[in-house]
Each structure stands twice: as structure tokens, then as C-alpha cells.
């Protein structure tokens, strides 16, 4: 028995979450995980939308009476915007921290007058931050309206919690439950990622050559629209309680939880299907590749160079997925250069394997979204 116990301790000592001790209890650390309620989808379009969309994000309105409510609303909205920008939910997304939500009519007028297709507003009915000492919990409601007719197209609600658990004492060892430095950030990112899943199945602008052209040239249209603005606190409130500004400072200073920045190059994601564990393109994807070929030979893109990147889900090993993603990107390049008058020097290829998922690889549907080919304008 003692022999097996020593072997177990040696194995655990190789883990960075275990600290073996000779004279005192050994300590095993377990990181707290975000617990999410079921995502409530109150409204969503029945059919996908084809065509590029632009969205204006308003600072969210905190309905709970708390200190610095407006600042917390700005910070929450900014984190959702950053998350959706990294996932490329819509080709153009702008967050303006100078706006103040004074009702739907006022916000709709602002979004419509600025030329945006969509208005994104949010409400925070519950917010409690225990930081590293207690539970942290957030309830978030997000509503998306189309500005042409003022109709709601999507409505979501979800709650997230990071529970603070008591340590467990096993006599010879002790398990301590660690709370992250940025509980708030982790909860918001988890909720935003969950809400993005139904949006990715609706806002699909990359299935026609016109949509592909619009997605890759959206940067030109952005020049006539407000620039992306991120929230920068002006001053920290003089209070003992942690302020939104201090919370943001923790987020930006923590290596593992730094805010996601928008990608520099404009890109689109294509749901190219391949045979299982193969770089052979499934014939059902030929029409989509033909649309891509038409787009790349169009007047707007025929002088542009592009980068084709392959992505996989998390099935199989990371090394295998990385190699497979590279081969699939090469297969797409070969198809385009053989079927269309495209010089091979215009197309560079790469692969990222499973390292850059759009959504967590937690369900079969999510894995389908992550298996994709990404096309970007070369910088």
C-alpha cells in the first residue's frame, strides 16, 4: 500500500497543480470553473442571413442598483464585443463607449443614422463579484435589432457563476480550490461564447461570391463608418470596493486572460467539407469553392493575394490535427488554381489545427463550426 502511495505522490508531483510536502500536508490545487445556466433563446431568425452585416454595440444598462453601474455596463459590453469580434460574428462591429442607453427609440435612431444594419443592446439584472473570496455571478440579457424596420431579430439571456468552494482535507493531502484573479472576465467570456453559437448559424455571409467579396472588402466600407472604440477608464473611483477600472487592470495584466484584440486582416470562414481524416474535398463543397474562385477572379479581388488557413476540431491529437489542417489548406489552393485562372503565387497556405476554435469543442454542432477553412487578404 505504501509503495502505491509513493508512486501516486511522485506522479502528482509532476503536475503543476500539486505541491508535495514531506513535513506537512501535500496540496493539490483545483481551479474553479464557470457554471453556466441554460442559454435562453427567446427570439432568433428561422433562416440564415446571407450578406455582410454591420453592428453598433451600446454600453449595457445595469438595472441593478450598484455603485459605478454605468462603468460596469461599459466593461461588460466591451468584453462581449471583443469576444464576438474575435469570432468574426459580423464583418463590422463597433463599440462606442460614449453612448448612453436612454431607451430603444433613441438607440435605434443613432444606429440607423450612422448606417449600421444592426443594433446590439444589453441589460445586466444581476451582478455580484466575490473576486477570490466569494462566489461571483452575472446575469446577462442581450437583444439585437435590425435598424431598417426596427424589429428584434435575436434575444438571449444567460447566467454564469464562479463558485467559491471550501477546501477538502484528506489527512495526508489537502485540496485547495483556487479562484481566478479575473472571475468577472471569465464569466462574461463564457456567456458571450455561448451566445455566439446561434449567431454563427444565422449570420452566414460567406456562401456566395458576392458575400465573399463583401466580407473580404469590408475594410473599405468601414472607412466611412465610426472607428472601433474601446473603453478606457478616465479615472478610478476613490473607494475601497473594487471598481470596474481596477477589474479591467487585472484583466489586462493577467497573461492568461488578456482581452482578445480584433484580427488585423479581414477574413471569412468557409464550411468546406472533407472526407473523414482526409484532405480530399467532399464534392458537396465544390459549389462553395466555385463561389470563392469567382470572388478571387472578380474585378475587386483579382489583384489581391490571399492566405488560406485550415482549422480542425479537437478530435485526434494536436500534432495530427495541425498536419491535417495544412494539407486541407493546400487541397483548397490546388482546387482553385486548377479550376480558375489564379496564379499559385497569389495564394499562401497555412494550418492551425485545433488551436483557434470559433466555439468550444463541447458538442457535435460546435465541432462542425470549428472545422473550417479561413480565407484572409494577405497583409
Amino acid at each position: 500500500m505504501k509503495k502505491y502511495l509513493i508512486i501516486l505522490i511522485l506522479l502528482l508531483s509532476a503536475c503543476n497543480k500539486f505541491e508535495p510536502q514531506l513535513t506537512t500536508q501535500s496540496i493539490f490545487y483545483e481551479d474553479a470553473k464557470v457554471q453556466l445556466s441554460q442559454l435562453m433563446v427567446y427570439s432568433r431568425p428561422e433562416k440564415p442571413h446571407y450578406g455582410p452585416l454591420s453592428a453598433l454595440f451600446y454600453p449595457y444598462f445595469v438595472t441593478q442598483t450598484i455603485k459605478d453601474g454605468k462603468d460596469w455596463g461599459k466593461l461588460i459590453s466591451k468584453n462581449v464585443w471583443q469576444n464576438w469580434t474575435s469570432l468574426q460574428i459580423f464583418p463590422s462591429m463597433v463599440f462606442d463607449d460614449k453612448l448612453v442607453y436612454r431607451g430603444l427609440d433613441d438607440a435605434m435612431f443613432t444606429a440607423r443614422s450612422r448606417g449600421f444594419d444592426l443594433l446590439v443592446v444589453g441589460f445586466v439584472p444581476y451582478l455580484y463579484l466575490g473576486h477570490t473570496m466569494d462566489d461571483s455571478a452575472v446575469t446577462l440579457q442581450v437583444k439585437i435589432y435590425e435598424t431598417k424596420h426596427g424589429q428584434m431579430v435575436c434575444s438571449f439571456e444567460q447566467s454564469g457563476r464562479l463558485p467559491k468552494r471550501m477546501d477538502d482535507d484528506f489527512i495526508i493531502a489537502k485540496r485547495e480550490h483556487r479562484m481566478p484573479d479575473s472571475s468577472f472576465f471569465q464569466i462574461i467570456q463564457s456567456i458571450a461564447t455561448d451566445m455566439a453559437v446561434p449567431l454563427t448559424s444565422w449570420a452566414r455571409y460567406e456562401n456566395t461570391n458576392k458575400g465573399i467579396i463583401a466580407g473580404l472588402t469590408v475594410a473599405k466600407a468601414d472607412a466611412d463608418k465610426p472607428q472601433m472604440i474601446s473603453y478606457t477608464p478616465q479615472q478610478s473611483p476613490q473607494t475601497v470596493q473594487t471598481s470596474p477600472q481596477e477589474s479591467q487592470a487585472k484583466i489586462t495584466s493577467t497573461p492568461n486572460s488578456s482581452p482578445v484584440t480584433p484580427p488585423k486582416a479581414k477574413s471569412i470562414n468557409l464550411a468546406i467539407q472533407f472526407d473523414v481524416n482526409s484532405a480530399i474535398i467532399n464534392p458537396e463543397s465544390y459549389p462553395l469553392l466555385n463561389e470563392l474562385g469567382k470572388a478571387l477572379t472578380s474585378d475587386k479581388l483579382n489583384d489581391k493575394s490571399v492566405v488560406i488557413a485550415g482549422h480542425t476540431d479537437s478530435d485526434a491529437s494536436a500534432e495530427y490535427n495541425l498536419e491535417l489542417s495544412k494539407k486541407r489548406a493546400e487541397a483548397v489552393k490546388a482546387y482553385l488554381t486548377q479550376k480558375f485562372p489564379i496564379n499559385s503565387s497569389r495564394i499562401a497556405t497555412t494550418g492551425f489545427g485545433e488551436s483557434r476554435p470559433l466555439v468550444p469543442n463541447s458538442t457535435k454542432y460546435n465541432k462542425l463550426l470549428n472545422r473550417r477553412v479561413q480565407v484572409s487578404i494577405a497583409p
Side-chain angles (χ1 to χ4, degrees), residues 15-35:
C15 177
N16 59 4
K17 295 184 178 181
F18 183 74
E19 292 184 1
Q21 303 290 335
L22 295 177
T23 58
T24 59
Q25 280 183 314
S26 296
I27 302 175
F28 175 76
Y29 296 101
E30 183 175 305
D31 295 326
K33 297 181 180 180
V34 176
Q35 298 178 356

Side-chain angles (χ1 to χ4, degrees), residues 80-89 93 228 260-263:
V80 174
W81 166 74
Q82 288 176 325
N83 181 282
W84 288 6
T85 299
S86 70
L87 298 177
Q88 300 178 339
I89 301 300
M93 291 179 282
M228 287 187 176
V260 181
T261 56

Side-chain angles (χ1 to χ4, degrees), residues 39 44 83-84 87 89 156 191-203 358-360 362-363 365-366 369:
L39 174 63
R44 62 173 292 185
N83 181 282
W84 288 6
L87 298 177
I89 301 300
F156 309 121
I191 293 176
T193 300
D194 247 28
M195 290 184 175
V197 173
L199 288 176
T200 55
S201 63
W202 168 58
L358 288 176
V359 291
S362 54
T363 65
Y365 177 72
N366 282 17
L369 293 176

Side-chain angles (χ1 to χ4, degrees), residues 6 49 56 88 116 124 152 185 218 239 278 292-293 319 340:
I6 293 174
H49 174 84
L56 175 63
Q88 300 178 339
F116 288 93
V124 185
M152 180 189 297
F185 176 82
V218 70
T239 175
S278 169
L292 176 60
E319 294 79 8
F340 294 88

Side-chain angles (χ1 to χ4, degrees), residues 55 82 111 139 171 187 196 234 241 251 280 330 339 355 362 369:
Q82 288 176 325
T139 297
I171 303 178
I187 296 174
Q234 299 299 318
Q241 181 181 1
I251 292 172
I280 299 176
E330 285 288 345
K339 299 289 184 180
S355 64
S362 54
L369 293 176

Side-chain angles (χ1 to χ4, degrees), residues 68-369:
D68 304 317
K70 288 184 178 180
D71 290 336
W72 283 114
K74 290 179 181 179
L75 189 56
I76 292 172
S77 180
K78 176 189 174 183
N79 277 280
V80 174
W81 166 74
Q82 288 176 325
N83 181 282
W84 288 6
T85 299
S86 70
L87 298 177
Q88 300 178 339
I89 301 300
F90 306 117
S92 177
M93 291 179 282
V94 173
F95 168 62
D96 190 342
D97 74 325
K98 295 180 175 61
L99 295 173
V100 178
Y101 186 77
R102 297 186 177 90
L104 180 58
D105 291 340
D106 177 75
M108 187 68 66
F109 175 81
T110 301
R112 188 179 292 132
S113 63
R114 293 189 181 186
F116 288 93
D117 302 308
L118 302 172
L119 168 67
V120 182
V121 298
F123 304 91
V124 185
Y126 183 74
L127 172 63
Y128 178 77
L129 299 178
H131 305 292
T132 60
M133 304 302 295
D134 198 0
D135 292 5
S136 293
V138 179
T139 297
L140 185 59
Q141 300 169 344
V142 176
K143 299 180 180 181
I144 303 176
Y145 297 86
E146 55 88 15
T147 58
K148 185 176 182 179
H149 303 289
Q151 296 181 343
M152 180 189 297
V153 292
C154 295
S155 178
F156 309 121
E157 181 175 0
Q158 192 171 33
S159 297
R161 175 182 294 274
L162 257 175
K164 172 64 176 178
R165 298 175 59 185
M166 299 295 292
D167 297 336
D168 300 313
D169 193 333
F170 300 111
I171 303 178
I172 62 171
K174 181 180 180 181
R175 180 170 61 183
E176 291 189 2
H177 299 277
R178 293 189 299 194
M179 297 292 286
D181 293 333
S182 303
S183 302
F184 166 82
F185 176 82
Q186 289 199 10
I187 296 174
I188 297 301
Q189 290 295 301
S190 297
I191 293 176
T193 300
D194 247 28
M195 290 184 175
V197 173
L199 288 176
T200 55
S201 63
W202 168 58
R204 301 183 64 85
Y205 60 90
E206 68 276 8
N207 286 38
T208 65
N209 69 84
K210 292 183 179 179
I212 292 171
I213 293 171
L216 291 176
T217 59
V218 70
K220 298 178 182 179
D222 285 347
D224 299 325
K225 295 180 180 179
Q227 296 299 308
M228 287 187 176
I229 303 172
S230 61
Y231 171 53
T232 303
Q234 299 299 318
Q235 59 181 5
S236 299
Q238 299 300 319
T239 175
V240 176
Q241 181 181 1
T242 303
S243 66
Q245 292 85 345
E246 291 170 337
S247 179
Q248 177 66 12
K250 287 184 178 181
I251 292 172
T252 55
S253 63
T254 304
N256 294 330
S257 57
S258 57
V260 181
T261 56
K264 294 181 179 180
K266 291 297 174 182
S267 62
I268 57 172
N269 293 303
L270 302 177
I272 306 297
Q273 301 300 311
F274 298 85
D275 291 347
V276 178
N277 295 326
S278 169
I280 299 176
I281 301 173
N282 194 304
E284 70 181 39
S285 293
Y286 290 167
L288 179 54
L289 285 174
N290 291 337
E291 294 298 310
L292 176 60
K294 293 176 185 178
L296 294 180
T297 53
S298 66
D299 293 339
K300 291 186 177 180
L301 295 177
N302 60 12
D303 61 340
K304 304 292 184 183
S305 295
V306 298
V307 178
I308 296 178
H311 299 266
T312 68
D313 56 30
S314 60
D315 291 345
S317 67
E319 294 79 8
Y320 178 85
N321 287 332
L322 179 61
E323 188 63 27
L324 180 62
S325 66
K326 292 179 180 179
K327 291 180 180 179
R328 288 179 171 178
E330 285 288 345
V332 172
K333 176 181 178 178
Y335 181 95
L336 293 173
T337 54
Q338 292 171 11
K339 299 289 184 180
F340 294 88
I342 301 175
N343 195 305
S344 60
S345 61
R346 285 183 56 197
I347 303 178
T349 61
T350 187
F352 295 103
E354 62 188 68
S355 64
R356 298 186 180 183
L358 288 176
V359 291
N361 284 291
S362 54
T363 65
K364 184 178 180 180
Y365 177 72
N366 282 17
K367 291 180 180 181
L368 177 63
L369 293 176

